[in-house]
Amino acid sequence: IIALCIVQPGRSMHGHGTTKTGVARIAVRKFAFEALPQWQQAHHAVCPHDIVELTPYMNSDEVRDPWGQRFVLVCDATNHRVAVISRGPDGEPNDDDDDGSGNIDDIVASW
């Protein structure tokens, strides 16, 4: 069987927008919904002190988004809420390039 996939330049095959944005969204979700629950189960705690503590549960030691900025881990242990954030292309929080905090491009996954 031969399959042919056509992808627009700058777009991912999974509909996540630009390739870098798609990679960031996938990483943020993987940190929040795969690595974090495994870490919580292993450590009997809500939130690690640093996102690096989640890397053993990822298939990579990378803690930087595609733009070279470190992913941000935000914890509210009182309410058992955790968010993993990529600040987007400009690296600035809560601006027009962010997604999840009411803006368009900050990439956020919360749990």
Side-chain angles (χ1 to χ4, degrees), residues 4-69:
L4 176 64
C5 296
I6 300 173
V7 180
Q8 293 176 321
R11 305 287 292 179
S12 72
M13 291 184 359
H14 302 289
H16 293 291
T18 65
T19 301
K20 285 185 177 183
T21 301
V23 168
R25 283 192 178 128
I26 290 167
V28 161
R29 289 178 182 145
K30 187 170 177 110
F31 272 116
F33 302 126
E34 294 179 29
L36 180 64
Q38 291 177 54
W39 182 92
Q40 289 171 327
Q41 184 176 12
H43 294 85
H44 305 288
V46 174
C47 194
H49 296 287
D50 192 297
I51 198 160
V52 170
E53 294 178 55
L54 299 179
T55 61
Y57 306 97
M58 304 281 286
N59 58 358
S60 171
D61 290 337
E62 187 58 62
V63 293
R64 295 189 179 279
D65 67 17
W67 300 279
Q69 301 296 318

Side-chain angles (χ1 to χ4, degrees), residues 3 17 38 104 108:
Q38 291 177 54
I104 283 191
V108 179

